């Protein structure tokens, strides 16, 4: 963080977060939450966080199918939010299936 700048808090969308500690990298799936940047560094408060190794990919795929099936029950802004969240989940699934993460 640059000196003299105020801390920033922002909403984060579902995605894959890479945490680097002492030269090791751990990929964590985050399903929304908040990120705060301050003079102490970056703090992420996630709604749900699962390490890549602990993710049950079959259950994740089932969750996406369930979200798709429930789209028909929604309308208006609720439908817009559901489609946006579904897109984020599909993006995570696509990244999981890419060779870059294996």
């Amino acid at each position: 963080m640059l000196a003299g700048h105020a801390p920033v808090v922002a909403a984060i969308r579902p995605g894959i977060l890479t945490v680097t500690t002492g030269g090791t990298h751990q990929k964590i799936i985050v399903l929304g939450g908040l990120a705060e940047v301050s003079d102490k560094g970056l703090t992420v408060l996630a709604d749900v966080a699962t390490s890549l190794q602990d993710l049950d990919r079959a259950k994740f795929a089932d969750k996406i199918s369930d979200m798709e099936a429930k789209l028909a029950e929604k309308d208006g802004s609720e439908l817009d939010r559901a489609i946006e969240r579904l897109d984020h989940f599909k993006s995570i699934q696509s990244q999981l299936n890419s060779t870059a993460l294996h």
Side-chain angles (χ1 to χ4, degrees), residues 6-67:
V8 174
V9 176
I12 55 173
R13 65 182 194 196
I16 298 175
L17 182 68
T18 302
V19 178
T20 303
T21 311
T24 63
H25 306 290
Q26 181 183 11
K27 294 198 180 291
I28 299 173
I29 296 169
V30 178
L31 301 181
L34 295 173
E36 177 187 24
V37 180
S38 70
D39 56 358
K40 296 179 180 77
L42 172 67
T43 302
V44 174
L45 302 171
D47 296 335
V48 177
T50 306
S51 75
L52 207 58
Q53 297 90 332
D54 295 339
L55 179 70
D56 183 328
R57 292 183 189 214
K59 282 187 181 175
F60 195 77
D62 287 346
K63 170 79 174 166
I64 289 173
S65 295
D66 187 50
M67 292 168 75

